[in-house]
Amino acid sequence: MYLVEVESAAKDQAAEVVAPGAPSDRWEEFPYSRLSHHGDRCCEMARQWVVAMDFAQLNGASVESGPRWLREKYKWGPSPWPMHWCDVVERDTIDCGAHAALALEVFAARGLAAFPAQLVQKYSKEATDQWRGSWEAEEVSCHWLDGEHIYHEATAVLVGTGELKVWDGSAGSWVNPRQRGGYGSVLSIRVFADSPEAISNGFRWGEQRIAANRWQQIG
Amino acid sequence: MKVYVSGLYSGGNPQPGVGIVRSVRQGFPFATIVGVEYSNRVSGIHWEDLDELWIQRPWSELDLDAYGAQVRGVLDEGGLWISGSDLEAMWLASIFPDGHRNLLAPPNGAFKRITKPSVEAADKLPVEVPTFISTDLPDWELHAFCRAHNWRVWLKGPYYDAARTPTWDRFIAARDALTKVWSTDRLFLQAHVSGYEESVMLAAYQGELLGCVSMRKRDITPEGKTWAGDVSPVDPKFEEPLREMVRDLNWTGGGELEMVRDAAGQRWLLEMNPRFPAWVHGATIAGHNLPALLVQAAAGVNARRAKPLASEFTRVVLEVPVRDEFPLPALPEPFAGAIGHSMKHPSGLTSLAERLHKADAELIGIAEEEAVADGIPQVPETFLDDIAAYDLERLQTPEFLYMGSTAEQLFRRAGERAHRLSTNEVQVVSGYSIKTNPDERLIGLALENGFLAEAISLLEVQKALKVGFRPDQVILNGPGKWWPEGMMPKERLHAVFCDSVADLDRCVDALATGEMDSRHVGIRIRTPNVVSRFGIPLDSPGTFRALVEAVERLPAHVAFGVHFHMASSNIGVAQWWHLFESMLKWCRAIEQLTGRTIEILDMGGGWFPDDWHSSDESRFVRAVERVKAVLPRVTQIVSEPGKAMAQPSMALAMRILEIQEHEDDSIEAVVDGSIAELPMYAFQPHRILRQCGESGALQPLGRGKTHLMGRLCMEHDIVATNVALPEGTRAGDVLIFCDAGGYDRSMSYVFGRG
């Protein structure tokens, strides 16, 4: 889920939080996931395959359609980091960070403005305990879990003037901006963007204004 | 207050009656609610909120005049009537053309303006209507519509019912079924729109919009029916024109606009229903009790305000007690040897459709402006000229007729087009697919008009050479290119495309040993996402890597190329062009990863003649430009039109052996042709001509009730269905099946000839 080099720092930081405010506080400093590239043909072949395959799978539909084929091909589950392009395409199971990174690449290749997005979602203690078990069995870090909250990664796509849709690659669906609270709901979102316009104006997601590059509580 | 509610069917495709009853009960706890139904097999009659039941005989038995008078009495006495059935509402509108203050259903005039698929009344709403055509049009044009929309089309009935028709035989079967069920030929084909389904429900009284609410389907049944949804207020930009529309129609009652929202956010209107939808109580749960608003407006009594419980709803399946006075009826006895029970709507709604047609044939005016009488297709003049050159009386039928002038014209135009599309940098040349029709006259025309010969076996290579092609004008591809052994020309071929990595390795070896020589050697790539058995697959990183590594083994002295082929008639024209763009991306990736530049691009094929010959040439010009932009080292593009050349070049003459007229007005005519001569009968329409016995003129056949059955003693030997034989047709007359020069000719077989 996260770059391995930031994991220990993140753990330390989490431990220092005595009375967490918003659920996203725990993940305040988390970077979004990025696939590594060996700088060689192995990774370039994988990257080109993903991009060409995405266009083939688009099947004539709108370029704003979600790349659901990625979820069909790669199940969601624990995967170790760091991950290279040549690794990710060969895996059967990848986590949300890898899903989001692949989606980011294909949306960009389609010519869309796409941004990494981080979410904090609410589930239940039972759900996160189950996930913790699965992740630990694979010896993969699970500090994306915290009580009834989880850290999740997605891909934001600009679909109109300043308007976002958020693609949850692990679910193969768009995140519902109208959901308010409850099981599976989004509590916080952070969208990374570096254009001056996005930084000054932010985005619109459903009926909400989303500032760029900082966690925003939903609801 | 007494409120009559109909449409209580509560199966997997429910009517809204039970939801309306629940909502009315919530708004008016002390109202007397009367459930109206036309069968005691409708489960909704047992719902607990119903105070009384008024069960009629099924629509097939009902005395409509007497029943109409009873309904009038109920309304005159102050009863309110909310119809939960499209057809019942339509019938009520015919009884009360100007409405009745207590009838909470739309007036007659409104129905005619919401007829699907065009829904004329909704023209001011911010919606688009998916492209559609009436099935009154000739089969030839219906097939073209399906191709143009990539076979992602729906055949829809006049009221409800829709069937996906991804192939021609599925279309024919669905058309037969829907025509029988709804007792009308007035169906329409509509292009599919991919997206999320949503609806706007409304309630209005005497032209005043009382309320409206939006719902997005969040869970659907396998039939696409709502199972769960989220409810929200209607966008003011939608509500204002909706209010005007309701006023314009003088609408009374519930209504629903069913839409799809595509990826770009555009809403596409599928239909407008003249009643509340089955999810009506889901909106009440969210605080929008439209049935109560409707009753309130008609009765002048304030409804109890709905308290929103949630903005989302879902359905559950409930068992309820059966009322003693309406015990479950006996199950119908299955027909001996048959499977299951009758699946017809228990109230006989389809019978009502038939009765409504008889009462008012114009009630359903589907796309009348586009209708063409009798579905008679246009037949090109060259067809008529070519057929006229034959003495049809003396033909030993069944016999293929070579359409000489048609073929010459097609090949000449293709040759000229290729010349026009060529530039200084890129030569465009057509390839003639020998397998499509190996007739030497057609291969000869290909040679005369500058085509290359495309062969899939060494026998086909030899056939091309025999007709006069040089080896360097021959392209060899396919999985069986080494068959039969020992026939590979020693001279240099124009191009060889390999169908697998093993095939590529064999070609590399053959080049090294001198067993084979070719100017170009390339690969055929297997199209991901579109199912194909041919070519080297691209569908996983591993297979892609294997392909890249195989290409790297090609000797440097041969030019490299890529071949891809997919029948545009099967996947549709737009999807074929998407595939073309997709292939360019794969080609670019292969170039970058292997370092081999692509010099020849061979693109096929399987084009339906009209699509290839009539299509806007600028599309092909742009395609050449795209190739130049993406693959700048390509010097030759081979375009393989496939059956676009061969199919119109031959017709099949057959003679009527016998005509049988049946009691139901259908006609069965036996002909001396068969599926052995016309194996493509189920995959494409054929334009059929009959020579008039008196004038000798060739008459195209339109749509009718005749089935043309082949001579073979085989259950499925039916060469055409639903055609109209012109008056005076008799045994011995000759029928000409046009468009039979492609796979009909090359795949015809000798079955049943002794």
Side-chain angles (χ1 to χ4, degrees):
Chain A
M1 165 135 317
Y2 318 115
L3 292 175
V4 70
E5 52 264 38
V6 303
E7 286 183 352
S8 56
K11 267 183 184 167
D12 293 345
Q13 189 175 19
E16 289 167 9
V17 176
V18 178
S24 49
D25 287 355
R26 176 177 164 84
W27 296 288
E28 177 64 35
E29 300 300 326
F30 266 45
Y32 61 86
S33 302
R34 299 168 200 252
L35 295 169
S36 304
H37 196 296
H38 281 117
D40 205 344
R41 211 164 84 104
C42 57
C43 283
E44 191 50 25
M45 199 180 302
R47 197 191 66 78
Q48 292 217 23
W49 178 81
V50 168
V51 169
M53 194 65 178
D54 176 67
F55 190 82
Q57 294 285 350
L58 200 53
N59 212 14
S62 164
V63 292
E64 292 176 359
S65 306
R68 212 175 85 175
W69 72 273
L70 283 167
R71 178 60 181 81
E72 300 294 318
K73 182 156 180 65
Y74 301 109
K75 284 186 292 191
W76 174 74
S79 47
W81 286 84
M83 206 182 307
H84 288 79
W85 275 97
C86 60
D87 301 328
V88 72
V89 296
E90 297 290 354
R91 292 187 63 84
D92 293 327
T93 302
I94 57 177
D95 65 16
C96 66
H99 269 300
L102 290 173
L104 186 69
E105 185 76 19
V106 302
F107 279 126
R110 294 179 192 177
L112 298 174
F115 315 99
Q118 297 173 314
L119 310 172
V120 173
Q121 288 179 284
K122 179 184 177 185
Y123 279 91
S124 66
K125 184 73 168 50
E126 289 75 15
T128 57
D129 285 348
Q130 288 279 327
W131 284 324
R132 190 180 304 278
S134 312
W135 256 248
E136 284 178 350
E138 296 288 322
E139 298 183 341
V140 175
S141 167
C142 50
H143 56 266
W144 58 286
L145 302 166
D146 181 24
E148 62 181 9
H149 298 145
I150 69 159
Y151 167 89
H152 192 47
E153 291 196 27
T155 310
V157 184
L158 203 59
V159 292
T161 309
E163 186 176 351
L164 287 183
K165 283 169 76 176
V166 179
W167 175 251
D168 182 343
S170 304
S173 61
W174 297 99
V175 181
N176 183 4
R178 291 195 340 214
Q179 206 84 47
R180 295 285 187 278
Y183 189 85
S185 61
V186 175
L187 303 179
S188 308
I189 185 168
R190 176 161 62 180
V191 176
F192 291 91
D194 55 10
S195 76
E197 189 183 351
I199 291 168
S200 62
N201 298 335
F203 302 103
R204 186 159 50 86
W205 183 45
E207 293 172 356
Q208 300 168 88
R209 299 298 309 180
I210 303 288
N213 303 320
R214 66 168 189 257
W215 281 107
Q216 179 151 337
Q217 311 309 315
I218 301 297
Chain B
M1 181 194 300
K2 206 165 193 176
V3 185
Y4 291 75
V5 179
S6 62
L8 299 169
Y9 184 76
S10 194
N13 181 10
Q15 292 179 316
V18 171
I20 295 169
V21 168
R22 297 174 73 193
S23 297
V24 170
R25 172 64 68 224
Q26 186 169 316
F28 299 94
F30 304 110
T32 299
I33 305 179
V34 183
V36 181
E37 256 309 335
Y38 305 88
S39 166
N40 60 338
R41 283 177 54 208
V42 168
S43 59
I45 64 173
H46 304 289
W47 183 248
E48 60 187 3
D49 283 315
L50 290 169
D51 299 297
E52 297 174 17
L53 284 169
W54 199 25
I55 306 295
Q56 308 299 325
R57 294 304 300 154
W59 287 104
S60 52
E61 296 177 25
L62 208 48
D63 179 337
L64 293 182
D65 291 337
Y67 182 49
Q70 286 179 299
V71 173
R72 185 183 295 279
V74 161
L75 297 175
D76 288 346
E77 286 170 16
L80 301 172
W81 189 292
I82 304 178
S83 181
S85 154
D86 297 17
L87 285 171
E88 185 204 63
M90 206 179 275
W91 170 71
L92 287 168
S94 70
I95 302 291
F96 305 97
D98 299 320
H100 185 291
R101 63 188 169 78
N102 291 337
L103 175 61
L104 307 183
N108 211 20
F111 274 98
K112 304 207 177 203
R113 296 183 57 202
I114 63 162
T115 306
K116 67 180 182 180
S118 58
V119 195
E120 171 218 321
D123 62 352
K124 297 212 170 47
L125 295 176
V127 294
E128 299 281 343
V129 173
T131 311
F132 65 89
I133 56 170
S134 162
T135 55
D136 285 348
L137 289 167
D139 282 1
W140 192 255
E141 291 180 42
L142 300 179
H143 194 267
F145 183 86
C146 294
R147 296 192 311 271
H149 294 91
N150 305 317
W151 292 97
R152 294 180 201 139
V153 291
W154 292 88
L155 179 65
K156 295 188 172 180
Y159 311 105
Y160 35 81
D161 259 7
R164 271 270 343 250
T165 55
T167 58
W168 185 244
D169 58 335
R170 295 269 290 274
F171 166 78
I172 295 290
R175 182 172 64 182
D176 284 352
L178 284 181
T179 297
K180 279 181 191 147
V181 167
W182 295 110
S183 309
T184 178
D185 292 325
R186 287 188 166 177
L187 312 175
F188 63 94
L189 263 175
Q190 191 161 41
H192 175 76
V193 177
S194 186
Y196 295 105
E197 293 179 53
E198 59 183 53
S199 291
V200 166
M201 172 172 61
L202 66 99
Y205 187 67
Q206 296 181 348
E208 286 305 314
L209 184 67
L210 305 170
C212 57
V213 66
S214 183
M215 188 278 293
R216 301 187 304 175
K217 293 187 188 182
R218 299 290 298 278
D219 201 359
I220 57 174
T221 66
E223 297 81 25
K225 306 300 173 189
T226 304
W227 194 259
D230 63 34
V231 177
S232 60
V234 175
D235 179 352
K237 289 179 187 158
F238 194 100
E239 183 174 344
E240 204 39 51
L242 180 66
R243 188 179 298 282
E244 283 179 37
M245 185 187 92
V246 162
R247 195 168 289 144
D248 190 36
L249 292 171
N250 194 27
W251 193 270
T252 288
E256 183 195 22
L257 293 135
E258 288 192 75
M259 296 170 285
V260 169
R261 189 185 288 267
D262 68 18
Q266 174 64 51
R267 279 174 289 207
W268 297 82
L269 180 61
L270 302 183
E271 60 185 291
M272 180 171 182
N273 298 317
R275 51 160 173 79
F276 289 118
W279 54 271
V280 55
H281 194 66
T284 301
I285 287 169
H288 303 269
N289 190 342
L290 299 195
L293 283 181
L294 183 59
V295 171
Q296 176 179 290
V301 179
N302 284 342
R304 181 176 288 186
R305 288 182 72 95
K307 183 181 171 191
L309 301 176
S311 62
E312 300 178 338
F313 67 87
T314 190
R315 288 182 175 153
V316 296
V317 177
L318 287 176
E319 287 76 31
V320 300
V322 166
R323 293 171 188 268
D324 290 342
E325 64 273 33
F326 290 102
L328 298 176
L331 265 180
E333 176 73 1
F335 286 113
I339 296 171
H341 300 276
S342 167
M343 298 299 286
K344 288 178 184 169
H345 195 291
S347 70
L349 264 179
T350 55
S351 304
L352 177 58
E354 190 175 358
R355 297 179 75 173
L356 285 173
H357 292 315
K358 286 178 183 160
D360 182 0
E362 295 305 310
L363 201 59
I364 311 157
I366 300 165
E368 285 180 278
E369 68 278 8
E370 291 197 22
V372 173
D374 302 328
I376 295 175
Q378 295 285 319
V379 178
E381 284 295 323
T382 62
F383 281 22
L384 303 177
D385 294 343
D386 282 326
I387 295 166
Y390 286 90
D391 181 355
L392 298 180
E393 292 302 315
R394 298 168 66 94
L395 280 179
Q396 185 62 48
T397 54
E399 185 170 320
F400 282 97
L401 310 179
Y402 178 65
M403 313 272 271
S405 66
T406 299
E408 284 168 23
Q409 191 182 85
L410 293 172
F411 278 88
R412 187 173 64 249
R413 279 166 49 193
E416 289 169 355
R417 173 188 276 186
H419 184 71
R420 283 196 302 276
L421 293 172
S422 296
T423 66
N424 288 338
E425 299 84 27
V426 181
Q427 183 203 16
V428 178
V429 61
S430 296
Y432 181 70
S433 165
I434 296 171
K435 71 174 186 294
T436 311
N437 188 335
D439 189 290
E440 291 185 8
R441 290 167 291 190
L442 297 177
I443 299 174
L445 280 173
L447 179 62
E448 282 172 29
N449 288 282
F451 281 53
L452 296 171
E454 294 244 13
I456 57 164
S457 71
L458 294 176
L459 283 177
E460 286 194 355
V461 171
Q462 296 301 332
K463 182 73 170 282
L465 298 180
K466 181 185 164 201
V467 174
F469 277 94
R470 299 188 312 270
D472 66 356
Q473 293 174 309
V474 173
I475 296 171
L476 179 58
N477 60 44
K481 66 169 63 66
W482 298 92
W483 175 85
E485 283 188 30
M487 296 182 78
M488 180 68 79
K490 296 296 178 198
E491 299 88 346
R492 172 173 278 202
L493 298 171
H494 184 70
V496 173
F497 292 102
C498 302
D499 206 59
S500 64
V501 170
D503 190 16
L504 183 66
D505 288 341
R506 183 169 180 181
C507 282
V508 169
D509 290 346
L511 288 167
T513 61
E515 185 189 352
M516 180 193 85
D517 192 12
S518 180
R519 182 178 166 200
H520 305 91
V521 175
I523 51 171
R524 175 170 178 167
I525 50 183
R526 179 180 295 182
T527 55
N529 197 43
V530 180
V531 176
S532 171
R533 58 159 281 203
F534 299 107
I536 303 175
L538 300 157
D539 53 3
S540 76
T543 56
F544 184 54
R545 188 170 58 246
L547 178 150
V548 167
E549 289 166 358
V551 169
E552 288 173 333
R553 293 196 287 273
L554 263 180
H557 72 271
V558 293
F560 176 54
V562 170
H563 170 95
F564 78 89
H565 183 287
M566 180 51 66
S568 82
S569 60
N570 288 356
I571 64 169
V573 175
Q575 194 174 2
W576 193 93
W577 283 111
H578 172 78
L579 195 59
F580 165 76
E581 288 288 341
S582 176
M583 287 300 153
L584 292 185
K585 288 190 190 305
W586 286 109
C587 287
R588 182 76 187 131
I590 291 166
E591 274 196 341
Q592 288 180 347
L593 294 165
T594 63
R596 293 298 305 252
T597 53
I598 296 170
E599 296 181 41
I600 182 172
L601 195 62
D602 186 340
M603 309 186 302
W607 285 83
F608 207 79
D610 286 4
D611 298 338
W612 201 83
H613 294 289
S614 327
S615 65
D616 178 6
E617 196 164 300
S618 66
R619 188 70 190 82
F620 291 94
V621 172
R622 287 204 304 279
V624 174
E625 292 299 317
R626 285 286 296 145
V627 173
K628 279 162 61 178
V630 178
L631 305 168
R633 297 290 293 277
V634 165
T635 56
Q636 188 177 60
I637 298 172
V638 183
S639 165
E640 197 216 307
K643 61 193 174 209
M645 293 292 123
Q647 188 174 299
S649 303
M650 287 188 182
L652 176 65
M654 55 181 80
R655 204 175 296 277
I656 295 174
L657 300 177
E658 179 184 288
I659 299 176
Q660 307 163 42
E661 293 183 15
H662 295 287
E663 288 174 6
D664 62 356
D665 292 341
S666 69
I667 298 171
E668 292 178 342
V670 180
V671 292
D672 63 4
S674 73
I675 56 169
E677 289 81 27
L678 206 70
M680 300 302 291
Y681 77 100
F683 300 97
Q684 61 162 91
H686 296 77
R687 290 171 285 194
I688 310 170
L689 301 163
R690 175 244 180 194
Q691 189 178 39
C692 176
E694 292 173 4
S695 68
L698 291 168
Q699 303 167 296
L701 302 194
R703 189 167 305 121
K705 293 190 172 181
T706 300
H707 296 273
L708 296 177
M709 303 192 294
R711 68 172 190 280
L712 300 176
C713 194
M714 299 288 287
E715 289 295 351
H716 61 287
D717 186 19
I718 298 171
V719 293
T721 56
N722 298 119
V723 296
L725 289 178
E727 203 167 321
T729 303
R730 54 184 177 269
D733 285 0
V734 173
L735 300 178
I736 314 290
F737 280 64
C738 301
D739 316 296
Y743 293 107
D744 281 314
R745 179 68 192 92
S746 57
M747 292 169 66
S748 61
Y749 48 105
V750 296
F751 187 69
R753 284 175 177 260

